[in-house]
C-alpha cells in the first residue's frame, strides 16, 4: 500500500513543474535582477548591490504606492465586509424580489474589473459625466473627480468594493443559513433583544464566514491592478498607483527592470506578510469561541 | 407584529438605493451605446434618435467578435487543462498525507497569495526566452499556473470527502492508481468540477494583467485588450467604445443569469474550508 501511495505522487508532477518554471524560478530570478541595473531588453547589465533598495527609501512614488496598496487592501476589506454582511442580513429575510436584488448585487463580480473601470469612467469623467449631471440637478458645480489623488484613491477603493461586495454577501448568506434556528428560538423564549441576538448568536457563529471573506477581500484588494489601469492609470502624477501598477509603469514605462523587480519583491513581501498577520489573527478568534 | 412592519418599511428605501447603485452602470452603458456621436445630451437620457452605428464601429474597428473568439479559445483550453492537471495533482495530496505531501500542499496554497505583478519582470523575461510572447500557449501556461492552486484547493477538499474505502476496494480488485483515479474518483467529481470550471473560467475570461504582456500582437487580442485599446485610441468616439464594452460583458452576464445557482455554489465552495 505504501509503494502504491508513493507511485500516486507522480500525479502532481505536472503541477510542480508548472509552479517551478513560472513561479519559483521567476521569484529567484527576480531576487537576482533586483540587485542589477538591467533595463529589460539589453544583453548586458551591471550588478549594483542594494542600490535599488536604498533608492526606494527616498522615492516618494514608491512610498505613495506602498500606502495606496494598503489603503486599497484594508479599505476594500472593511467596506466589502460591512456592506456584505448588511446585504446578507437584509437578503436573508423573506420578501418579494429578494432573488432579483441578490442577482443584481452579484452580477458585477462576473464583469472584468478592467471593463468595470471603463464603465465607471462614464460616471466620474468631467465633461458629461453621470455623477456631474446628478449634482448639477442640485445646483452644484461640476467636479473633476479623478483630478485629485486622494479622491482618486477613495473612488478606486469604493468602485472595487462595490463591484466585489457580492462575494462577501454570498459567503455571509451561506454562513447565516448554516446557523440553526433553534438558537434564535431559545433566545426568543429568554426574551433576548434583536441587537443582543446579533451580538451573541449571529456574530460568533459567523466567524468562519467572516474569516474567509476577509481573507479573500484583503488579497484581492492588495493585488488591485485592472481597475486602476482603466480608471486613472495611476494618475494624476503617481498619486493613485498601487505597487502592482507601479511595477508595470517602472518596467514598461521607464525601462527600469532592475528597479521594477525590487519594487515587485517589496509588494510580494507586503502582501504575504499582511495576509499572514490577518489570517493568523482571524484564526485565533475562531478558536476562542 | 409591530416590529415586523417597522423593519419592512425600513427595508424598501435601502433596497431602492441598492437597485439604483447596481442598475445605473448598466443603464448608462446602454444609453451611451445607442447614442449618435453627435448627441451630447446627458448620459442619463436615451437618445431621441437611437442608432446602431456604435455597434457597427465596435465590430468593424474594434474587432470585438474576433476578440471574443480568442478569449473563448484561451479560456476553453486553459480550463480543460486546469481540470486535468488540478484533479490529478489533488488526488495524491488528499489521499497520501505524508510529510512531503503536507509541505507541498501548503506550498501550493501559498502560491495563491503571490501577486503575479510582483514577479512580472522575471516572468516576462522567461517567457521571452521560451518564445512564449504572442503565442496562445504562453498565455495558457501562465493562466494555468496561477489558477492551478485554486483548482487543487477545491479538488483536495472534495476528494477528502470521498471514502477511501472505495480506493481500497478498487486496489483489491487489481486497479492501479491511474485506473482508480479515472474510473472511481473522477466520475464522482462532477459538482466540484463545475465549480472549478466556473470560478477559474471567469478569471481566465476576465484576465487583463497577463494578456497585456503576453498577447501584444493586435491579431491575438482578447476581450479586455480590445476594450482597453479601443478606449485609449478612440477618445473621440467613446460611444463606440461603450458599445464594445456592452458587447463584451453581454455573454458573461447572460451566462450568469442562466447558471446563477452554479456560480454561487462555486463561490461558496471555494471560500469555505
Amino acid at each position: 500500500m505504501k509503494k502504491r501511495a508513493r507511485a500516486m505522487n507522480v500525479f502532481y508532477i505536472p503541477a510542480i513543474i508548472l509552479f517551478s518554471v513560472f513561479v519559483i524560478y521567476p521569484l529567484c530570478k527576480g531576487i537576482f535582477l533586483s540587485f542589477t541595473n538591467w533595463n529589460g531588453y539589453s544583453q548586458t547589465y551591471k550588478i549594483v548591490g542594494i542600490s535599488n533598495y536604498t533608492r526606494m527609501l527616498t522615492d516618494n512614488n514608491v512610498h505613495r504606492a506602498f500606502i495606496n496598496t494598503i489603503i486599497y487592501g484594508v479599505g476594500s476589506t472593511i467596506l466589502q465586509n460591512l456592506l456584505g454582511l448588511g446585504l446578507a442580513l437584509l437578503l436573508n429575510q423573506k420578501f418579494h424580489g429578494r432573488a432579483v436584488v441578490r442577482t443584481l448585487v452579484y452580477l458585477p463580480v462576473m464583469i472584468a474589473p478592467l471593463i468595470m473601470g471603463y464603465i465607471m469612467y462614464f460616471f466620474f469623467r468631467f465633461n458629461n459625466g453621470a455623477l456631474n449631471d446628478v449634482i448639477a440637478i442640485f445646483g452644484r458645480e461640476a467636479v473633476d473627480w479623478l483630478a485629485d489623488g486622494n479622491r482618486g484613491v477613495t473612488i478606486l477603493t469604493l468602485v472595487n468594493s462595490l463591484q466585489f461586495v457580492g462575494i462577501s454577501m454570498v459567503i455571509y448568506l451561506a454562513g447565516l443559513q448554516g446557523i440553526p434556528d433553534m438558537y434564535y428560538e431559545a433566545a426568543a423564549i429568554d426574551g433576548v433583544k434583536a441587537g443582543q441576538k446579533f451580538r451573541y448568536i449571529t456574530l460568533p457563529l459567523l466567524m468562519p464566514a467572516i474569516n474567509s471573506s476577509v481573507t479573500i477581500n484583503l488579497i484581492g484588494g492588495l493585488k488591485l491592478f485592472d481597475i486602476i489601469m482603466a480608471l486613472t492609470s495611476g494618475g494624476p502624477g503617481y498619486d493613485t498607483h498601487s505597487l502592482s501598477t507601479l511595477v508595470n509603469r517602472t518596467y514598461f514605462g521607464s525601462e527600469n527592470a532592475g528597479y521594477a523587480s525590487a519594487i515587485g519583491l517589496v509588494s510580494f513581501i507586503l502582501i504575504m506578510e499582511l495576509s499572514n498577520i490577518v489570517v493568523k489573527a482571524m484564526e485565533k478568534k475562531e478558536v476562542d469561541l | 407584529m409591530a416590529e415586523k412592519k417597522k423593519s419592512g418599511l425600513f427595508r424598501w428605501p435601502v433596497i431602492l438605493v441598492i437597485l439604483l447603485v447596481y442598475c445605473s452602470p448598466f443603464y448608462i452603458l446602454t444609453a451611451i451605446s445607442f447614442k449618435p456621436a453627435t448627441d451630447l445630451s446627458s448620459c442619463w437620457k436615451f437618445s431621441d434618435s437611437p442608432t446602431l452605428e456604435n455597434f457597427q464601429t465596435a465590430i468593424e474597428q474594434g474587432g470585438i467578435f474576433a476578440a471574443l473568439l480568442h478569449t473563448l479559445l484561451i479560456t476553453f483550453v486553459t480550463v480543460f487543462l486546469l481540470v486535468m492537471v488540478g484533479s490529478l495533482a489533488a488526488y495524491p495530496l488528499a489521499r497520501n498525507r505524508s510529510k512531503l505531501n503536507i509541505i507541498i500542499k501548503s506550498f501550493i496554497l501559498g502560491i495563491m497569495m503571490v501577486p503575479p505583478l510582483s514577479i512580472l519582470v522575471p516572468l516576462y523575461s522567461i517567457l521571452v526566452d521560451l518564445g512564449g510572447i504572442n503565442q496562445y500557449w504562453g498565455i495558457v501556461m501562465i493562466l494555468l499556473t496561477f489558477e492551478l492552486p485554486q483548482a487543487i484547493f477545491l479538488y483536495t477538499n472534495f476528494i477528502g470527502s470521498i471514502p477511501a474505502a472505495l480506493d481500497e476496494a478498487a486496489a483489491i480488485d487489481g486497479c492501479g492508481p491511474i485506473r482508480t483515479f479515472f474510473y472511481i474518483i473522477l466520475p464522482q467529481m462532477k459538482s466540484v468540477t463545475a465549480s472549478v470550471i466556473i470560478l477559474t473560467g471567469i478569471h481566465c475570461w476576465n484576465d487583463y494583467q497577463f494578456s497585456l504582456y503576453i498577447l501584444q500582437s493586435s491579431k491575438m487580442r482578447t476581450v479586455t485588450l480590445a476594450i482597453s485599446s479601443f478606449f485609449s485610441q478612440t477618445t473621440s468616439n467613446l460611444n463606440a467604445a461603450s458599445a464594445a464594452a456592452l458587447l463584451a460583458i453581454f455573454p458573461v452576464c447572460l451566462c450568469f443569469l442562466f447558471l446563477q445557482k452554479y456560480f454561487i455554489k462555486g463561490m461558496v465552495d471555494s471560500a469555505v474550508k
Side-chain angles (χ1 to χ4, degrees), chain A residues 1 4-12 14-16 18-19 21-27 29-31 33 38 40 87 90-91 93-97 99-116 118-123 125 128-131 133-134 161-167 170-171 174 194 208 211-213 215-216 219 222-223 225-226 229 244-245 247-248 251-252 256-258 260-261 263-265 267-268 271-272 275-276 279 283, chain B residues 3 7 11-12 14-15 18-19 21-26 28-29 32 39-44 85 88-89 91-93 95-96 98 100-101 104 107-108 110-127 129-130 137 141-142 144-146 148-149 152 167-168 170-171 175-178 180-181 202 205-209 212-213 216 223-225 227-229 231-232 238-239 241-242 245 248-249 252-253 256-257 260 263-264 267-268 270-273:
Chain A
M1 218 52 199
R4 185 186 159 90
R6 219 171 295 147
M8 236 158 69
N9 284 356
V10 175
F11 287 175
Y12 58 57
I16 298 292
L18 280 170
F19 291 136
V21 176
F22 295 117
V23 181
I24 304 302
Y25 176 58
L27 203 56
K29 194 172 176 186
I31 295 171
L33 286 175
W38 191 44
L87 281 166
L90 178 77
L91 295 174
Q93 304 167 357
K94 285 200 174 70
F95 59 88
H96 286 292
V100 178
V101 180
R102 213 183 283 183
T103 307
L104 205 60
V105 175
Y106 198 75
L107 190 58
V109 176
M110 299 296 126
I111 296 173
L114 180 91
I115 298 178
M116 186 50 94
Y118 284 123
I119 299 175
M120 285 302 130
Y121 173 73
F122 291 117
F123 261 84
R125 65 181 172 177
N128 223 351
L131 201 56
D133 285 348
V134 172
S161 307
L162 287 178
Q163 181 179 3
F164 289 107
V165 73
I167 294 179
V170 164
I171 294 173
N211 191 347
S212 356
S213 172
T215 315
I216 290 175
I219 295 174
L222 289 170
K223 286 182 182 174
F225 179 79
D226 300 17
M229 294 297 277
S244 294
T245 58
V247 171
N248 168 52
Y251 185 18
F252 289 101
N256 223 327
S261 304
I263 299 173
L265 285 172
S267 87
F268 176 79
I271 295 176
M272 288 297 242
S275 323
N276 266 334
V279 169
E283 266 168 10
Chain B
E3 198 185 330
S7 80
R11 188 191 293 148
W12 290 107
V14 180
I15 289 173
I18 298 171
L19 290 179
V21 170
Y22 281 88
C23 285
S24 52
F26 298 103
I28 286 182
L29 198 64
I32 296 175
D39 185 345
L40 293 174
S41 63
S42 162
C43 50
W44 292 97
V85 178
L88 263 177
Y91 184 45
L93 292 177
R95 279 288 184 258
N96 176 15
S98 63
L100 172 74
N101 285 8
I104 287 182
F107 159 75
I108 290 174
I111 290 178
M112 259 200 260
M113 278 192 237
V114 176
L117 262 293
S118 73
I119 51 171
L120 164 70
V121 179
L123 197 59
Y124 184 76
S125 76
I126 285 165
L127 272 171
D129 293 343
L130 293 174
W137 68 261
M141 283 301 142
I142 297 294
L144 177 61
T145 306
F146 282 89
L148 204 48
I152 293 179
D167 298 37
E168 284 155 20
C175 246
I178 296 175
T180 311
F181 177 76
I202 277 290
W205 183 274
N206 286 343
D207 173 71
Y208 173 66
Q209 51 184 7
L212 177 63
Y213 309 112
Q216 292 166 348
V223 169
T224 46
L225 292 177
I227 299 284
S228 80
S229 77
F231 263 86
S232 50
L238 279 173
N239 294 8
S242 148
I249 62 173
V252 209
C253 293
F256 172 67
L257 291 179
Q260 200 182 151
F263 276 85
I264 289 181
M267 185 62 236
V268 173
S270 74
V272 181
K273 281 160 218 164

Side-chain angles (χ1 to χ4, degrees), chain A residues 1-181:
Chain A
M1 218 52 199
K2 207 164 186 193
K3 206 173 144 200
R4 185 186 159 90
R6 219 171 295 147
M8 236 158 69
N9 284 356
V10 175
F11 287 175
Y12 58 57
I13 288 178
I16 298 292
I17 292 174
L18 280 170
F19 291 136
S20 314
V21 176
F22 295 117
V23 181
I24 304 302
Y25 176 58
L27 203 56
C28 299
K29 194 172 176 186
I31 295 171
F32 169 71
L33 286 175
S34 73
F35 294 107
T36 69
N37 68 350
W38 191 44
N39 62 8
Y41 51 85
S42 76
Q43 298 297 317
T44 55
Y45 47 80
K46 270 202 306 244
I47 291 180
V48 292
I50 58 161
S51 79
N52 282 328
Y53 290 94
T54 49
R55 181 176 159 196
M56 234 182 282
L57 292 175
T58 53
D59 188 338
N60 282 328
N61 296 338
V62 173
H63 298 170
R64 183 79 204 223
F66 191 87
I67 294 166
N68 285 347
T69 306
I70 295 176
I71 296 176
Y72 293 139
V74 176
S76 306
T77 308
I78 294 172
L79 268 175
Q80 284 178 65
N81 281 289
L82 289 181
L83 291 174
L85 184 57
L87 281 166
L89 287 170
L90 178 77
L91 295 174
N92 202 32
Q93 304 167 357
K94 285 200 174 70
F95 59 88
H96 286 292
R98 79 170 169 169
V100 178
V101 180
R102 213 183 283 183
T103 307
L104 205 60
V105 175
Y106 198 75
L107 190 58
V109 176
M110 299 296 126
I111 296 173
L114 180 91
I115 298 178
M116 186 50 94
Y118 284 123
I119 299 175
M120 285 302 130
Y121 173 73
F122 291 117
F123 261 84
F124 295 110
R125 65 181 172 177
F126 182 66
N127 287 320
N128 223 351
L131 201 56
N132 279 340
D133 285 348
V134 172
I135 65 170
I137 298 173
F138 297 103
R140 301 277 292 277
E141 250 175 70
V143 180
D144 198 354
W145 296 98
L146 298 169
D148 177 71
N150 291 334
R151 201 160 48 209
V153 172
T154 317
I155 287 174
L156 285 167
T157 312
L158 202 66
V159 170
N160 178 51
S161 307
L162 287 178
Q163 181 179 3
F164 289 107
V165 73
I167 294 179
S168 303
M169 176 189 77
V170 164
I171 294 173
Y172 285 129
L173 269 172
L176 285 174
Q177 278 152 14
I179 302 176
D181 277 341

Side-chain angles (χ1 to χ4, degrees), chain B:
Chain B
M1 212 49 210
E3 198 185 330
K4 253 191 185 155
K5 233 178 194 167
K6 218 166 71 190
S7 80
L9 278 178
F10 176 68
R11 188 191 293 148
W12 290 107
V14 180
I15 289 173
L16 208 67
V17 172
I18 298 171
L19 290 179
L20 202 68
V21 170
Y22 281 88
C23 285
S24 52
F26 298 103
Y27 171 80
I28 286 182
L29 198 64
T30 319
I32 296 175
S33 302
F34 286 103
K35 228 173 241 202
T38 46
D39 185 345
L40 293 174
S41 63
S42 162
C43 50
W44 292 97
K45 283 193 202 109
F46 265 87
S47 174
D48 301 328
S49 51
T51 168
L52 288 173
E53 201 182 310
N54 297 322
F55 290 95
Q56 204 181 348
T57 319
I59 292 163
E60 280 168 9
Q61 289 172 27
I64 281 294
F65 282 141
L68 283 170
L69 208 66
H70 298 157
T71 314
L72 193 67
L73 176 76
I74 292 168
T75 306
F76 187 81
V77 176
T78 310
V79 169
F80 177 77
L81 289 173
L82 260 169
V83 168
M84 289 318 297
V85 178
S87 60
L88 263 177
Y91 184 45
L93 292 177
R95 279 288 184 258
N96 176 15
R97 301 220 169 129
S98 63
K99 253 188 201 139
L100 172 74
N101 285 8
I102 289 171
I103 293 171
I104 287 182
K105 194 183 162 195
S106 54
F107 159 75
I108 290 174
L109 296 186
I111 290 178
M112 259 200 260
M113 278 192 237
V114 176
L117 262 293
S118 73
I119 51 171
L120 164 70
V121 179
L123 197 59
Y124 184 76
S125 76
I126 285 165
L127 272 171
V128 171
D129 293 343
L130 293 174
I133 303 296
N134 281 333
Q135 300 289 337
Y136 285 123
W137 68 261
I139 183 80
V140 167
M141 283 301 142
I142 297 294
L143 284 173
L144 177 61
T145 306
F146 282 89
E147 291 299 326
L148 204 48
Q150 175 93 72
I152 293 179
F153 174 75
L154 282 163
Y155 277 123
T156 32
N157 280 355
F158 190 84
I159 295 175
S161 71
I162 300 175
L166 283 176
D167 298 37
E168 284 155 20
I172 291 166
D173 289 345
C175 246
I178 296 175
R179 286 220 297 175
T180 311
F181 177 76
F182 281 102
Y183 289 110
I184 310 288
I185 303 294
L186 204 57
Q188 300 187 56
M189 298 207 290
K190 282 188 192 112
S191 75
V192 69
T193 302
S195 299
V196 169
I197 291 175
I198 280 170
L199 269 182
T200 55
I202 277 290
H203 287 157
C204 296
W205 183 274
N206 286 343
D207 173 71
Y208 173 66
Q209 51 184 7
F210 294 124
S211 326
L212 177 63
Y213 309 112
I214 298 172
L215 303 175
Q216 292 166 348
S217 153
S218 59
K219 281 183 196 143
M220 311 180 90
R221 264 186 205 142
T222 58
V223 169
T224 46
L225 292 177
I227 299 284
S228 80
S229 77
F230 211 142
F231 263 86
S232 50
Q233 281 164 13
T234 56
T235 38
S236 53
N237 193 2
L238 279 173
N239 294 8
S242 148
L246 197 62
L247 286 174
I249 62 173
F250 191 70
V252 209
C253 293
L254 206 65
C255 209
F256 172 67
L257 291 179
F258 281 109
L259 300 171
Q260 200 182 151
K261 201 173 78 190
Y262 301 97
F263 276 85
I264 289 181
K265 188 183 167 295
M267 185 62 236
V268 173
D269 280 354
S270 74
V272 181
K273 281 160 218 164

